Amino acid sequence: MMIVTMDDVSKAYKTTTILDKLSLGIKEGERVVLLGPSGCGKTTTLRLIAGFVAPDSGTVSIAGESVSRDGQIIKPPEERKVGMVFQDFALWPHLSVKENIEFGLKAKGIAKAKREEQVRKMLVVVDMDGYADRKPAELSGGQQQRTALARALALQPKLLLMDEPLFSLDQELNSRLRREIVLLQEKLGFTMLYVTHNRDEAFAIATRIVMMQKGRLEFDGSVAEAEYRLRQV
Amino acid sequence: MPQLQRQVFLGSIVVLLLIVGLLPLLSMLFKSMIIDGHFSLEAYRGLLASRHQWVLMRHSLALSSWVTLLTLLVGVPLGVILGKTDLPLRRTFAVLFVTPLLIPSYIVAVSWFDLLGSEGLLADLLGNPVAQMTNSFLFSLSGCVAVLFTIFLPIPMLLTMIFLRTIDPSLEEAGRLVSGWFGVLKGISIPLILPAVLLAAMLVFLLSFGEFSVPAYLRYDVFPVESFTQFSAFYHFQAATAAAVPLVAVTLLLLLAEALFLQEKTYPLRPSATIGRSMTIALGPYRKGVFVLITLLGFVIVILPIVVLLIESAGMDAYREALDRAGGSLLHSLYYAALGATLLTFVGFFVGYLIHHRTVRYWRMIDSVTIFLFALPGTVIGIGLISLWNTPWTNFVYATPMIIILGYLAKYTALTSRITAAQLAQISPSMEEAAQVAGAGWFRRMVLIVIPLSWRALLAGWIVGYLFSLRDTEITMLVYPPGYETLPVRIYTLMANGSPQLIAALCIIMISATLLPAALLWMLYHTMTTKEIK
Ligand SMILES: Nc1ncnc2c1ncn2[C@@H]1O[C@H](COP(=O)(O)OP(=O)(O)O)[C@@H](O)[C@H]1O
Ligand SMILES: [Mg+2]
């Protein structure tokens, strides 16, 4: 079953084309990495799927239902049930770790007892129990990253979007968190669209790699195929 | 239909703003063309035919041009010195120089009169011949320019300080590798903030152009004085409006020029990664000299006038009489200013949100409308409000303090909305987006994420709204219903027959009523900010 499909999606800002008739489908349980140089339109693709921007033409569907079409956002982000980890983490500085994670559960009107249980579970999953009452500013980079991940997963989204989530971390932490993200995905089974411009990171994480260049897809295949192709160039 | 909540709510705010701000002007324009029930341009014909009008226009233009030129020449370097160097007490100086802008402007004129006037302090000290000279200096174009210079100097100063901080420090760092500070300022920093400097120039020009109380007090004939006199002395509505129209026209023209030449030129703000980092100019051997110079300037244009008022009003009698005769007005002032500030903060917040997010098509128009209303002379807004609300069915507005509050809202929303928009620009958009993917609708995002993150803008907006409502003289003087006048209005009317001691005491009370709450709130703001950083 397709979690996300993009059909002939185009997007331009003023006269500059950012995405050019992009089509992409992601199946349940996949870990797709969108790989491409800076400025090629990766973030724009994620924001189209999340519903922050509307495609000029083409359709975006989530779980078989059109959510954006031809310049119109049919379903706003808050109704799409996707999780997202932002490049700058976007942790709310005035809320504690616990409150950050709890926010979406509250918005959904989940009862307090159930909320607390879910928060505790998420804290354990990302190995952050003991930090519940800290403010984001009191966390290290890696801890902020884990908190952002826990927050994105708290509502058990079918799809998790990640925009260069390890970009601002140092090399060692970067490698460790790659493994953690993969383990977490295998454990929880959500579908993942992961954006990066770093090849090593892409290979470490993906089950499928999509390469992008100037707003077009130019490769879509397994990790092994991607490695073969890159060796040829 | 997604986003419905948001569109409806923000739409109502826009409609409110249009009713409060633009409708009065339209009503005024319309009524000025109806004479005895017929369409007529008689009022305008009278205006164009009169040679006096052209004299007024020349006076107005001369006054505004001189004030603009001088405030820029002094204000921009002052802003650089206070915003970017290692001068001691920079913050204190900045606060000091802002003070004259916060009190009703004619009070500054009164204090200069008490110093330089024919019966002023200088006359006592240096004798009559000198005082005759200073007196005629004061009651002329030069006196008006000098007084308005001290009042509007903080505008270019503050804008320079604020915008210098938005420059990406690496741009200056790159310049410093190859040039001294003077070259960097001249070639990089100042050109980068040029839009802010021009904005300051435009604001000072328009505010001087619309200034009523200072030229009226110093008997220098300009357009707003004419309009006011026609209205309040002769109850001649058509003539008053006709005299107000050139004011509207000049305001519109300048704003249009700004829209055409400036808005495309604003540079992107610094990347958030560099916030907190900024380059400081070491004054080195010049530090002492600059310090003395700035102290001297601050003493002459801020401290001296206040000291003169204190000397003039010395003794308890003057203060007792002042409270006797104007205590009620003081309470009105505090009450309306607090109410005005609260509404301004609320409306300004959402207008600022709208401007920042461009959520409504024509968002730039909304921004321009608020700036237009801010730049428009208070006299014009006052006449407009009366024209709209003075009907048998709307006495609940016209005959109550509500009309005063509407005036504040019309004129000063630009301040709170710009403060909000500036704050929102500091907050990463992913803050709200993250709440959105977490499933929160618009109201929830506003209440739980955006508003808590913007508390600084809310508090700062309230303080600024309070100060500007409190100092307002022009609008209030025209619209206040009998028995509801504010302190600045009361002082202005008492000036006709009150003793100089009484007037000076009233001015000191007015200044205290402005500065004490402002200082308290500022301290609150300061402790809260430092606590948050910790
Ligand atoms: N809101 C916007 N307005 C104008 N141009 C934009 C906007 N968002 C992105 N772009 C441009 O679109 C291009 C692709 O951006 P993005 O999707 O962020 O690329 P990536 O994430 O691959 O680095 C860039 O050239 C960027 O400047
Ligand atoms: Mg990107």
Side-chain angles (χ1 to χ4, degrees):
Chain A
M1 141 110 164
M2 286 290 181
I3 295 286
V4 189
T5 23
M6 297 174 76
D7 276 320
D8 278 342
V9 169
S10 296
K11 178 76 198 168
Y13 284 114
K14 298 223 169 119
T15 51
T16 323
T17 303
I18 309 294
L19 296 183
D20 190 9
K21 296 212 165 181
L22 193 91
S23 293
L24 176 70
I26 299 175
K27 287 200 279 292
E28 194 159 359
E30 280 191 305
R31 286 199 303 274
V32 178
V33 171
L34 194 54
L35 177 65
S38 181
C40 72
K42 305 181 299 292
T43 297
T44 306
T45 308
L46 288 193
R47 294 169 63 78
L48 274 160
I49 296 172
F52 296 127
V53 288
D56 297 334
S57 64
T59 311
V60 179
S61 312
I62 293 180
E65 181 191 5
S66 308
V67 288
S68 299
R69 185 190 296 132
D70 300 336
Q72 272 222 311
I73 290 179
I74 299 165
K75 239 184 180 187
E78 63 264 35
E79 290 166 20
R80 293 194 176 190
K81 296 186 181 127
V82 299
M84 183 157 176
V85 176
F86 293 79
Q87 187 168 346
D88 61 356
F89 304 145
L91 293 174
W92 300 302
H94 61 303
L95 302 181
S96 67
V97 167
K98 171 176 172 276
E99 288 164 336
N100 262 280
I101 299 173
E102 198 180 14
F103 182 89
L105 300 162
K106 257 189 181 162
K108 222 180 151 197
I110 291 170
K112 190 167 175 181
K114 229 170 151 194
R115 260 183 356 233
E116 305 228 310
E117 191 196 317
Q118 177 68 358
V119 171
R120 220 175 307 117
K121 221 166 84 190
M122 294 316 303
L123 285 170
V124 172
V125 163
V126 297
D127 201 15
M128 283 286 292
D129 41 345
Y131 296 94
D133 295 320
R134 294 265 185 110
K135 289 276 167 66
E138 300 161 352
L139 301 175
S140 69
Q143 290 168 335
Q144 290 183 5
Q145 215 284 324
R146 291 203 189 96
T147 308
L149 199 55
R151 185 180 71 183
L153 291 172
L155 278 173
Q156 295 166 291
K158 278 270 186 310
L159 175 68
L160 180 67
L161 304 172
M162 301 180 89
D163 191 1
E164 315 225 16
L166 305 180
F167 182 69
S168 56
L169 306 178
D170 64 55
Q171 192 53 47
E172 197 189 301
L173 196 57
N174 187 318
S175 322
R176 200 172 79 220
L177 282 168
R178 287 176 197 171
R179 284 193 299 278
E180 285 184 18
I181 288 170
V182 170
L183 289 174
L184 195 65
Q185 191 271 340
E186 284 173 349
K187 189 162 139 197
L188 301 179
F190 52 84
T191 312
M192 193 163 116
L193 178 57
Y194 187 107
V195 160
T196 180
H197 65 270
N198 179 324
R199 283 181 191 181
D200 296 341
E201 201 176 308
F203 289 127
I205 284 180
T207 57
R208 172 183 159 202
I209 290 184
V210 175
M211 289 189 219
M212 206 171 163
Q213 191 76 263
K214 293 189 183 145
R216 291 166 186 268
L217 295 192
E218 51 168 38
F219 173 85
D220 185 347
S222 70
V223 176
E225 285 164 342
E227 269 178 333
Y228 178 72
R229 178 184 159 109
L230 285 175
R231 238 180 296 129
Q232 281 184 317
V233 180
Chain B
M1 176 73 193
Q3 314 298 352
L4 191 63
Q5 270 182 338
R6 182 168 87 161
Q7 302 300 42
V8 169
F9 189 85
L10 293 176
S12 342
I13 295 276
V14 171
V15 171
L16 175 75
L17 200 64
L18 294 181
I19 292 176
V20 169
L22 281 192
L23 205 56
L25 298 181
L26 292 179
S27 150
M28 173 184 96
L29 203 62
F30 177 73
K31 284 194 187 164
S32 72
M33 296 178 191
I34 304 290
I35 295 176
D36 298 330
H38 298 287
F39 175 80
S40 158
L41 291 175
E42 200 45 54
Y44 293 90
R45 205 164 300 137
L47 187 75
L48 284 173
S50 142
R51 286 232 350 241
H52 183 55
Q53 302 299 327
W54 296 104
V55 174
L56 291 180
M57 187 49 107
R58 221 181 49 233
H59 282 186
S60 276
L61 289 175
L63 178 62
S64 317
S65 308
W66 277 110
V67 174
T68 309
L69 186 71
L70 290 177
T71 50
L72 281 194
L73 280 180
V74 180
V76 174
L78 189 61
V80 172
I81 291 170
L82 299 185
K84 238 179 145 45
T85 67
D86 58 354
L87 188 81
L89 299 179
R90 291 192 317 268
R91 263 177 188 242
T92 315
F93 278 126
V95 172
L96 183 71
F97 284 114
V98 169
T99 312
L101 181 63
L102 303 182
I103 52 190
S105 30
Y106 73 84
I107 286 183
V108 178
V110 170
S111 70
W112 282 101
F113 175 68
D114 284 349
L115 179 65
L116 302 179
S118 50
E119 280 145 40
L121 219 57
L122 217 60
D124 295 348
L125 290 176
L126 299 178
N128 237 347
V130 178
Q132 283 310 325
M133 258 168 58
T134 55
N135 189 63
S136 50
F137 164 83
L138 191 62
F139 284 91
S140 70
L141 175 62
S142 44
C144 278
V145 170
V147 170
L148 291 183
F149 165 78
T150 69
I151 295 171
F152 295 131
L153 178 65
I155 293 177
M157 178 195 88
L158 280 179
L159 283 170
T160 303
M161 288 173 71
I162 292 168
F163 277 78
L164 279 176
R165 288 180 49 189
T166 66
I167 296 177
D168 180 351
S170 52
L171 298 178
E172 288 175 341
E173 286 159 1
R176 281 292 279 124
L177 295 176
V178 294
S179 157
W181 261 118
F182 190 72
V184 171
L185 285 171
K186 195 166 138 258
I188 299 172
S189 317
I190 301 292
L192 280 174
I193 65 160
L194 200 61
V197 174
L198 293 177
L199 178 70
M202 191 193 70
L203 278 179
V204 172
F205 188 93
L206 288 174
L207 290 174
S208 324
F209 200 81
E211 179 63 40
F212 156 76
S213 64
V214 169
Y217 178 74
L218 295 177
R219 288 175 223 131
Y220 184 67
D221 270 343
V222 291
F223 250 109
V225 177
E226 169 76 4
S227 182
F228 182 82
T229 315
Q230 288 289 353
F231 192 83
S232 63
F234 308 127
Y235 291 104
H236 193 175
F237 181 78
Q238 265 83 16
T241 311
V245 166
L247 294 170
V248 180
V250 170
T251 309
L252 269 177
L253 264 171
L254 266 177
L255 287 174
L256 215 64
E258 196 240 11
L260 288 178
F261 297 119
L262 288 185
Q263 301 214 339
E264 296 303 322
K265 279 225 182 83
T266 37
Y267 299 96
L269 295 185
R270 64 200 295 171
S272 55
T274 63
I275 282 171
R277 200 153 66 94
S278 111
M279 291 200 86
T280 302
I281 305 172
L283 289 174
Y286 303 110
R287 206 153 168 239
K288 251 201 203 110
V290 173
F291 186 80
V292 170
L293 211 67
I294 302 280
T295 310
L296 217 62
L297 183 67
F299 180 78
V300 172
I301 71 177
V302 186
I303 298 188
L304 189 61
I306 295 179
V307 170
V308 170
L309 285 176
L310 282 171
I311 294 175
E312 182 73 48
S313 65
M316 283 319 288
D317 290 349
Y319 286 93
R320 203 169 302 127
E321 191 191 345
L323 285 179
D324 244 20
R325 296 180 70 174
S329 316
L330 173 62
L331 291 181
H332 288 159
S333 261
L334 297 177
Y335 175 52
Y336 304 156
L339 198 62
T342 308
L343 283 172
L344 280 167
T345 309
F346 181 81
V347 174
F349 181 83
F350 289 102
V351 174
Y353 181 88
L354 211 112
I355 292 168
H356 177 68
H357 287 279
R358 309 169 187 201
T359 51
V360 170
R361 274 173 74 189
Y362 315 125
W363 65 273
R364 184 172 276 175
M365 201 197 77
I366 304 304
D367 191 31
S368 308
V369 167
T370 62
I371 296 282
F372 166 67
L373 290 167
F374 178 67
L376 203 61
T379 331
V380 179
I381 292 185
I383 295 175
L385 285 170
I386 293 172
S387 149
L388 179 66
W389 297 107
N390 184 12
T391 72
W393 307 282
T394 51
N395 260 329
F396 68 100
V397 174
Y398 180 69
T400 66
M402 207 168 135
I403 193 162
I404 301 177
I405 305 290
L406 287 185
Y408 297 162
L409 205 55
K411 189 159 162 78
Y412 301 118
T413 298
L415 295 170
T416 46
S417 67
R418 283 283 173 119
I419 288 174
T420 304
Q423 165 88 70
L424 291 177
Q426 304 274 316
I427 300 172
S428 162
S430 57
M431 289 288 132
E432 201 190 329
E433 288 168 3
Q436 211 174 355
V437 280
W442 186 69
F443 274 118
R444 180 171 279 266
R445 300 201 295 272
M446 293 307 288
V447 173
L448 295 179
I449 305 293
V450 181
I451 289 176
L453 287 175
S454 316
W455 68 265
R456 270 200 203 86
L458 293 173
L459 190 52
W462 199 91
I463 298 174
V464 169
Y466 173 82
L467 290 172
F468 274 80
S469 303
L470 196 62
R471 87 185 273 284
D472 183 88
T473 313
E474 269 98 352
I475 300 178
T476 320
M477 191 152 12
L478 274 174
V479 304
Y480 77 91
Y484 293 106
E485 84 261 82
T486 60
L487 189 54
V489 173
R490 181 80 180 136
I491 301 178
Y492 201 87
T493 46
L494 280 175
M495 270 192 317
N497 53 19
S499 71
Q501 287 75 20
L502 172 68
I503 300 304
L506 284 165
C507 289
I508 289 293
I509 291 175
M510 183 68 222
I511 293 172
S512 319
T514 307
L515 297 188
L516 289 183
L520 281 178
L521 284 166
W522 176 252
M523 270 154 54
L524 175 73
Y525 179 87
H526 198 70
T527 38
M528 280 173 77
T529 323
T530 39
K531 209 157 79 200
E532 190 181 66
I533 288 167
K534 234 176 53 204

